[in-house]
Amino acid sequence: MSTLVAVPVKDLVNAKQRLMPLLSPAERGDLARAMLEDVLEALGHARLGEVLVVTRDPAVESLARRHGAATLREETNRGHTEAVAHAQRAALARGATRFLTIPGDVPCATAPELTALVAALPAGPGVVFVPSLSGFGTNAALLEPPAALPLKFGEPSFDNHLVAARAAGLQPLVLRLPGIGLDIDAPEDLASLLEGGASTRSAGLLISLGVPARLARRGGEA
């Protein structure tokens, strides 16, 4: 049994625009880089299989190589759904029997969570989904075989994926994992990262930038 793990990543220069009220463009790029490194480090410790970073950003490709990950080139930023579909096709071409996709903005993901996710799916056709903490998004999807189901992201993708899996004759398994479930998109997510992922590279960056004080001021102004 071989697993291919796909990590779609957008250009760092345009990363995390919903954090604009709190972070400068350079800081958002640095945070996106740190979060990706946290995810790749967790995947490296988990040793699930080949890790494939899907991107068109040369800086991301360089970072991926430093962490021992392969890269899959995109010609344009077509969105998360298209990047995952691109990786699913690559998984089939490489002979993988399982396909796992996880975003690059879940810095609190841990190797034990990733190992538990893969172990949750018994041999044979099936799907496992990890919802975002909000319950609306899908933060990880494990498929056996890789083409078991087309994946479409964007809220409410979690419920949509459950419906699509059942329509395809599959009984989806759901794992609620707090680290993988925390994707960093909005300013309030930064507080959750600082609280739940204090040991991560990403939280260390936020502390060095003085983000806790910025969040406190923002809360006082609300």
Side-chain angles (χ1 to χ4, degrees), residues 43-165:
L43 287 168
H45 290 306
R47 299 182 180 275
L48 305 178
E50 181 182 14
V51 177
L52 196 60
V53 175
V54 187
T55 188
R56 66 184 296 273
D57 188 337
V60 173
E61 292 178 327
S62 177
L63 187 154
R65 287 192 292 270
R66 290 202 303 272
H67 285 269
T71 59
L72 181 62
R73 182 77 177 177
E74 282 195 296
E75 296 307 316
T76 59
N77 274 329
R78 296 178 296 166
H80 194 87
T81 293
E82 290 78 8
V84 170
H86 188 28
Q88 282 179 279
R89 293 190 292 270
L92 290 170
R94 294 172 187 228
T97 55
R98 285 185 163 192
F99 175 80
L100 170 64
T101 183
I102 180 171
D105 64 350
V106 288
C108 296
T110 64
E113 282 189 340
L114 291 161
T115 301
L117 169 55
V118 171
L121 184 62
V127 294
V128 182
F129 298 117
V130 178
S132 62
L133 294 184
S134 70
F136 295 112
T138 306
N139 282 15
L142 174 66
L143 311 179
E144 185 179 345
L149 193 71
L151 297 169
K152 295 184 68 175
F153 294 88
E155 296 182 354
S157 67
F158 177 62
D159 284 343
N160 290 344
H161 280 142
L162 296 182
V163 170

Side-chain angles (χ1 to χ4, degrees), residues 36-49:
L36 177 57
E37 291 200 74
D38 282 328
V39 170
L40 292 177
E41 286 176 2
L43 287 168
H45 290 306
R47 299 182 180 275
L48 305 178

Side-chain angles (χ1 to χ4, degrees), residues 14-37:
N14 295 312
K16 298 297 165 189
Q17 297 195 22
R18 288 174 61 190
L19 296 175
M20 286 175 64
L22 211 62
L23 301 178
S24 71
E27 289 170 340
R28 296 199 306 274
D30 287 344
L31 177 60
R33 185 178 293 106
M35 292 193 295
L36 177 57
E37 291 200 74

